[in-house]
Amino acid sequence: MKRLFKGGRVVDPANGVDEHLDVLIDGDRVVEVARDLPVSRADGGAIVDVPSGFVICPGFIDMHVHLREPGQEHKETVATGTLSAVAGGFTAVACMPNTRPVNDNAGVTQLILQKAREAGLARVYPIGAVSRGQKGEELADIAELREAGCVAVTDDGLPIATAILARRALEYTSMFGMPVIEHCEDQSLKGEGVAHEGPVASSLGLKGIPGAAEAITAGRDILLAEMTGGHLHIAHMSAWTTLEAVRQGKARGVRVTAEVCPHHFTLTDDMLAAPIPYDSNTKMNPPLREARDRDAMLAGIADGSVDVIATDHAPHHYDEKNVEFDRAPFGIVGLETAVPICLDRLVRAGVIRLPRLVELMSVNPARILKVPGGSLAPGAIADITVLAPDLPVTIDRAALKSKSKNTPYHGWSFTGGVAATIVGGRIVHVSPGAGWPTRAD
Amino acid sequence: MDAVAATALSHRNLLGIADLTPEEIVLVLDTAEAMQEVGRRAIKKVPTLRGRTVVNLFFEPSTRTRTSFEIAEKRLSADTLNVAIASSSVVKGETLVDTALNIEAMAPSMIVLRHASSGACHLLSRICKAAIINAGDGMHEHPTQALLDAFTIREHKRRISGLKIAIVGDLLHSRVLRSNLLLLRKLGAEVWVCGPATLIPPGLERLGVHVTTRVDEAVEGADVVMMLRIQLERMQGGFFPSLREYFRTFGMTEERVRRAKPDVIIMHPGPINRGVEIASEVADGPYSVILEQVANGVAVRMAVLYLLAGGGDDEAVV
Amino acid sequence: MPVVMDADRISRALTRIAHEILERNHGIDGVSLVGVRSRGVPLARRIAAVLGNVSREDVATGALDITLYRDDLMRTAVGPQPVVRKTEIPFSIDDRTIVLVDDVLYTGRTTRAALDALIDFGRPRAIQLVVLVDRGHRELPIKADYVGKNVPTSRKESVQVRLEELDGVDEVSVEVGE
């Protein structure tokens, strides 16, 4: 079936496009993007008049999501997670292997892909484990994982346990052109830390995790990436010292990329003290840090040192989070808050312009994971995120499609949101009240 | 001059000194004086909290603080209920939230909570309607300890404002430090804190205190010297090489005491580790007011119970 | 704000009461005064001074804070706790005649609280009550033994006692409202 989207602002930086154009798709592919396409091109298919101000861009890809299935389905499943993803404007997600059992074998990878097919919403690209069982001792069967469908490997939740294992991982994955995604955090410095080590943790009596813990492991891995030629991707970067190491590595030509989560460029550890003291919805790893770190992340996003914005969507059941701060699990959900935050606090705030946002959320994730997407050129998959940059959005945790509601942004208002999400030509999500003229398929 | 007393406490709970104004602190101390007099009578009882139930919910073992609260509650004629949760119960899955909901069902007026997690009292206050009194939450605060310390200082020195007060010990893990630091600064004392560099939490100077690793500097000319307990289990964290070395560098010896003012008072929240943070001769010596602190604890806790028992406005839930 | 007692009337009333105490107790042997805070305390001291002049002996005087014994404390859920002050009774009350001194007798509940408090202190041989003003409307079976002045009031009025020691002037007035 053909669909013709008329008159939207098409922002497709991979192809140097940012103007009002018509987009013709056929089935699951983009056919043509041009000015004033005649309606006959739709061949009897649907014609959609894109409302004024709406933006058509290649589908957003969240390359850091915890879908929790298999093993922790009380928090989230592939079905609810992909529903949350498309509600948040994401056409694809890459899911982390710290499931139960760990995704260190083809069986688990295939299960995840099967569930994603059944749900039929966002595409799911599984990320496999670096080490068997994520125990940090020996490499997992990475070739098998790749063959089953994994696009990267990580021991996320933990750093790769030793320098020698990290070296091997970088060397081994370079054979397949897969990135090693690293949760940078020196475990001995982390200790029993639950918050950023600083004045706020001191006055709240919480054990701290210094920013240096992240930078130290990042430094180690950047040097190993340099030495081996492998591709290192730094997950959820949060500390200004890590950013410094990344900048220097890039300047030397190291194949290192880095992602930042929205909470790390909007919030600081002050949130732990107020408005709700010890709110476990402000507890995640890496933790919320100081203003200097937050501002550094913004600067990195603006100057290109940061490659990707990902959410680290980490759903947890209410009962698990409703405990003493130090006993609560780390993590917050993020799929449905990312786009409003980015449109409001990055684009509207003047930190970056819209094409750069599309690079951060579509072009670069597709390139790093070597998956389809990131472009609306003829022949590209018809994965489209439709943005409404002037839409007023108020976050209501009860309205989240995710099974879990652990977000610190409940009640926050933003200007900018998702109007509709299209995966493989199918309209899988339409935001109620956003003004998109069709219903979901 | 210390602040003028307020006429009431504005919050319905006592979660920490952080929430008290200087005027409210003085109100507690003044009220404690009246309560102290009750403790001197033959019949040490007044009917004030008759018919009210106060639950002492202790997730950490504590003889001293719990009995102090219990005596205070009984002197005010309240019905007390001691609930001691052994750490094994917590492992079995008996959470703070579930325990609290069960206790709420019995409609107590007040819950006195001691817990190993910082912020536990804040969590409890969001769950329970009863007024919450923090008897020590993790490394965060121990407000009644700081209040009884201030009461003791005031008894000897007539005021807090302008005194030089040195606090020595494990600054990183101490809730007594955090509460005392806040209180003494609110009342205008000059506060010096001292401990090994490995046990100094970052950002302390922002609270307006002098930070030093040299105990002589802290104690020099001090009006009050407060020693903090070294928890022997800290040794595992590698914070300092040995207790012997700790005592040599930071222990309060008679020689070090001589650097303070001639009328200095030596304080300690207890229980003391003789020969670790404080020499026996100093603990038992003429400057020590350690046992008075214990006695004053009852009067101060009676004052807190009384001032919070009015119920207060539900809107001011903190 | 009609003034029902001026400084002069107050002084004469206290003097008369002092004499009545002496008469009733056949002297001041075994008699001590306890003023109920706050204004009962300066009143008690003034009476003690008169007694001292007449009998040429010092009369022990104490101060009693009855806040912790009030029966209305915990029943009204809203509102801050009243401020508690120290009780100072530096003598034994056992086997003595204690003359309680208060400024205004109204419902009688304050007196009941004072009786409860005193009995916790010891076992007096007898307790007598001095009030500067009795305004009626008793809710308990309480009677003053010595009264400065009977001032009939309605429930909508209040009696304000001001004393030099605390308020800078001696005056009793009746005002509308609580």
Side-chain angles (χ1 to χ4, degrees):
Chain A
M1 201 219 2
K2 291 198 175 127
R3 263 194 174 112
L4 179 58
F5 298 97
K6 291 197 69 59
R9 174 185 168 196
V10 177
V11 177
D12 181 13
N15 297 298
V17 171
D18 181 359
E19 59 179 302
H20 285 82
L21 296 170
D22 298 345
V23 178
L24 177 66
I25 65 178
D26 184 1
D28 68 344
R29 297 274 148 185
V30 174
V31 173
E32 191 173 351
V33 178
R35 226 173 278 168
D36 299 322
L37 289 174
V39 299
S40 58
R41 297 295 303 280
D43 278 344
I47 297 170
V48 182
D49 283 309
V50 178
S52 163
F54 281 32
V55 177
I56 307 275
C57 37
F60 287 178
I61 301 169
D62 188 344
M63 59 181 285
H64 195 140
V65 174
H66 294 268
L67 291 179
R68 304 295 190 207
E69 189 173 9
Q72 295 182 300
E73 290 83 355
H74 61 290
K75 300 182 203 240
E76 192 85 280
T77 62
V78 174
T80 60
T82 50
L83 181 63
S84 178
V86 299
F90 292 95
T91 55
V93 299
C95 63
M96 288 295 169
N98 59 335
T99 46
R100 292 189 193 153
V102 164
N103 185 9
D104 63 0
N105 64 80
V108 176
T109 303
Q110 282 155 8
L111 171 76
I112 293 169
L113 289 169
Q114 168 67 15
K115 294 285 184 183
R117 269 194 298 275
E118 284 167 8
L121 296 165
R123 296 177 202 269
V124 175
Y125 300 112
I127 298 172
V130 165
S131 62
R132 248 185 251 291
Q134 289 193 309
K135 290 210 176 90
E137 288 159 11
E138 9 166 68
L139 290 180
D141 287 342
I142 293 177
E144 174 187 313
L145 287 166
R146 169 159 176 83
E147 215 170 319
C150 286
V151 297
V153 291
T154 184
D155 273 349
D156 182 54
L158 291 169
I160 301 176
T162 57
I164 185 64
L165 194 63
R167 170 190 184 157
R168 297 287 173 243
L170 284 161
E171 287 170 332
Y172 199 75
T173 52
S174 68
M175 296 192 297
F176 312 110
M178 289 166 88
V180 172
I181 298 178
E182 180 73 316
H183 167 120
C184 297
E185 187 184 41
D186 181 277
Q187 294 299 288
S188 69
L189 282 180
K190 178 201 176 178
E192 293 169 335
V194 296
H196 169 70
E197 184 176 296
V200 173
S202 293
S203 47
L204 293 178
L206 295 172
K207 294 197 170 141
I209 308 171
E214 181 183 281
I216 283 170
T217 305
R220 170 193 89 172
D221 291 337
I222 289 170
L223 289 168
L224 291 172
E226 186 167 25
M227 189 174 95
T228 60
H231 176 178
L232 170 73
H233 177 81
I234 293 181
H236 48 50
M237 177 170 64
S238 67
W240 71 270
T241 41
T242 310
L243 180 60
E244 285 297 302
V246 168
R247 279 200 181 107
Q248 286 161 27
K250 286 186 175 195
R252 297 199 306 275
V254 179
R255 290 178 65 210
V256 56
T257 51
E259 84 196 18
V260 176
C261 300
H263 43 276
H264 288 121
F265 63 76
T266 52
L267 305 176
T268 62
D269 56 359
D270 289 325
M271 285 278 289
L272 275 68
I276 303 171
Y278 301 96
D279 180 9
S280 64
N281 287 322
T282 61
K283 180 178 181 182
M284 77 290 290
N285 196 7
L288 298 175
R289 299 200 191 270
E290 296 174 54
R292 180 180 190 180
D293 300 292
R294 177 203 57 200
D295 295 341
M297 296 305 114
L298 287 167
I301 285 169
D303 73 17
S305 315
V306 172
D307 303 276
V308 169
I309 291 175
T311 64
D312 194 2
H313 176 86
H316 290 291
H317 192 276
Y318 175 79
D319 288 338
E320 293 168 317
K321 279 292 222 180
N322 190 33
V323 294
E324 306 84 286
F325 192 90
D326 52 4
R327 288 183 60 203
F330 290 99
I332 58 171
V333 292
L335 283 169
E336 295 168 74
T337 47
V339 167
I341 291 172
C342 290
L343 286 175
D344 190 304
R345 299 303 173 90
L346 292 178
V347 180
R348 182 168 280 261
V351 178
I352 57 174
R353 295 173 63 249
L354 209 40
R356 168 77 179 135
L357 183 66
V358 176
E359 281 177 6
L360 289 161
M361 298 187 79
S362 182
V363 180
N364 291 346
R367 181 170 52 79
I368 288 168
L369 295 177
K370 301 198 167 81
V371 298
S375 155
L376 291 177
I381 52 164
D383 283 2
I384 294 172
T385 300
V386 183
L387 302 173
D390 301 312
L391 179 69
V393 171
T394 301
I395 308 298
D396 176 7
R397 68 162 60 98
L400 296 177
K401 296 283 190 285
S402 164
K403 225 180 196 181
S404 296
K405 318 294 181 192
N406 48 318
T407 174
Y409 292 106
H410 176 71
W412 287 51
S413 293
F414 299 100
T415 304
V418 175
T421 311
I422 299 166
V423 177
R426 288 171 45 243
I427 303 177
V428 292
H429 170 79
V430 174
S431 298
W436 181 253
T438 80
R439 287 212 301 266
D441 287 344
Chain B
M1 262 307 295
D2 287 357
V4 174
T7 50
L9 297 183
S10 55
H11 294 302
R12 68 179 272 107
N13 305 305
L14 179 61
L15 302 178
I17 302 291
D19 303 321
L20 295 176
T21 65
E23 294 76 15
E24 287 172 322
I25 293 169
V26 174
L27 171 64
V28 174
L29 299 181
D30 288 349
T31 308
E33 271 185 42
M35 298 300 181
Q36 194 183 41
E37 182 273 317
V38 173
R40 295 203 185 110
R41 302 179 190 175
I43 298 184
K44 301 180 191 344
K45 216 172 179 59
V46 288
T48 323
L49 291 188
R50 203 169 63 92
R52 297 303 193 89
T53 304
V54 180
V55 176
N56 296 324
L57 182 54
F58 276 60
F59 281 80
E60 276 183 333
S62 153
T63 322
R64 185 181 308 244
T65 305
R66 217 205 65 218
T67 51
S68 181
F69 267 105
E70 200 179 330
I71 293 173
E73 290 148 16
K74 290 186 150 102
R75 286 199 180 158
L76 291 170
S77 298
D79 293 327
T80 65
L81 179 62
N82 289 317
V83 181
I85 311 280
S87 50
S88 57
S89 303
V90 173
V91 169
K92 270 193 257 166
E94 197 175 324
T95 64
L96 171 60
V97 171
D98 284 331
T99 310
L101 289 171
N102 277 301
I103 287 174
E104 255 287 271
M106 298 188 265
S109 304
M110 290 190 261
I111 300 176
V112 177
L113 176 68
R114 166 169 285 199
H115 196 282
S117 291
S118 300
C121 296
H122 283 81
L123 178 63
L124 198 69
S125 73
R126 294 194 271 269
I127 298 168
C128 293
K129 293 198 203 73
I132 311 295
I133 297 178
N134 184 357
D137 66 326
M139 309 189 314
H140 176 231
E141 283 225 42
H142 192 355
T144 58
Q145 178 70 43
L147 287 162
L148 75 86
D149 288 341
F151 186 83
T152 309
I153 294 172
R154 212 169 76 149
E155 274 204 315
H156 284 270
K157 307 285 179 185
R158 302 273 115 247
R159 75 196 192 291
I160 308 274
S161 162
L163 296 179
K164 177 176 176 183
I165 303 181
I167 307 180
V168 183
D170 177 356
L171 308 175
L172 181 61
H173 300 100
S174 173
R175 54 192 173 213
V176 171
L177 166 80
R178 282 172 181 76
S179 291
N180 263 300
L181 201 150
L182 289 169
L183 186 152
L184 296 171
R185 286 297 302 138
K186 285 186 186 206
L187 293 190
E190 179 194 331
V191 179
W192 286 71
V193 299
C194 171
T198 49
L199 289 173
I200 297 180
L204 226 44
E205 331 69 47
R206 292 201 199 180
L207 298 173
V209 300
H210 304 267
V211 183
T212 175
T213 54
R214 293 180 16 246
V215 69
D216 291 340
E217 193 185 347
V219 171
E220 186 72 43
D223 297 285
V224 177
V225 174
M226 210 183 273
M227 306 307 299
L228 299 174
R229 235 184 117 245
I230 287 294
Q231 283 148 61
L232 305 182
E233 52 284 13
R234 298 299 163 216
M235 293 288 298
Q236 261 89 323
F239 292 100
F240 47 82
S242 67
L243 296 179
R244 185 168 148 272
E245 180 132 318
Y246 180 84
F247 182 68
R248 285 177 63 175
T249 329
F250 297 97
M252 197 48 48
T253 58
E254 285 194 306
E255 195 194 324
R256 289 196 167 118
V257 170
R258 260 176 255 135
R259 289 178 159 266
K261 288 217 178 90
D263 60 349
V264 68
I265 54 173
I266 308 291
M267 303 177 66
H268 192 300
I272 56 182
N273 291 315
R274 290 168 181 272
V276 179
E277 65 262 5
I278 187 168
S280 272
E281 314 83 73
V282 176
D284 302 329
Y287 308 105
S288 164
V289 299
I290 295 174
L291 293 175
E292 284 174 47
Q293 286 173 270
V294 178
N296 292 334
V298 175
V300 166
R301 288 169 176 130
M302 284 174 73
V304 169
L305 288 159
Y306 168 73
L307 289 166
L308 289 179
D313 200 335
D314 261 294
E315 283 167 35
V317 169
V318 163
Chain C
M1 302 195 317
V3 174
V4 296
M5 291 178 87
D6 60 15
D8 195 45
R9 298 271 322 251
I10 291 171
S11 170
R12 282 188 279 130
L14 294 176
T15 305
R16 170 181 48 83
I17 287 169
H19 282 94
E20 284 173 4
I21 293 171
L22 280 170
E23 202 184 306
R24 168 126 169 223
N25 294 292
H26 310 294
I28 49 114
D29 211 32
V31 172
S32 301
L33 298 173
V34 173
V36 177
R37 286 203 191 272
S38 300
R39 287 177 178 74
V41 178
L43 290 173
R45 295 215 177 100
R46 292 195 206 180
I47 294 173
V50 174
L51 289 172
N53 283 337
V54 171
S55 65
R56 302 198 189 292
E57 282 173 54
D58 283 333
V59 181
T61 308
L64 179 66
D65 187 288
I66 51 101
T67 317
L68 299 174
Y69 288 85
R70 285 169 53 168
D71 65 4
D72 62 337
L73 264 186
M74 304 296 162
R75 289 168 206 275
T76 46
V78 187
Q81 297 293 69
V83 178
V84 186
R85 303 215 197 296
K86 266 162 83 160
T87 289
E88 289 161 52
I89 302 182
F91 48 86
S92 167
I93 66 171
D94 290 342
D95 284 326
R96 298 187 72 77
T97 296
I98 299 297
V99 178
L100 269 180
V101 181
D102 205 356
D103 56 345
V104 178
L105 177 56
Y106 179 29
T107 59
R109 293 182 188 276
T110 302
T111 306
R112 184 210 63 79
L115 291 173
D116 277 351
L118 268 187
I119 283 164
D120 272 355
F121 267 90
R123 197 173 187 283
R125 180 166 24 105
I127 300 177
Q128 297 167 3
L129 177 65
V130 168
V131 293
L132 184 63
V133 171
D134 182 342
R135 65 170 287 202
H137 301 291
R138 214 76 75 233
E139 291 172 6
L140 299 174
I142 303 264
K143 184 173 85 80
D145 299 287
Y146 314 93
V147 180
K149 184 175 171 56
N150 281 294
V151 179
T153 59
S154 82
R155 284 191 171 276
K156 291 202 208 77
E157 293 168 316
S158 71
V159 174
Q160 299 298 327
V161 173
R162 292 182 189 83
L163 299 175
E164 180 97 36
E165 295 91 326
L166 293 171
D167 313 292
V169 68
D170 276 358
E171 155 182 296
V172 179
S173 58
V174 176
E175 284 161 36
V176 178
E178 287 296 315

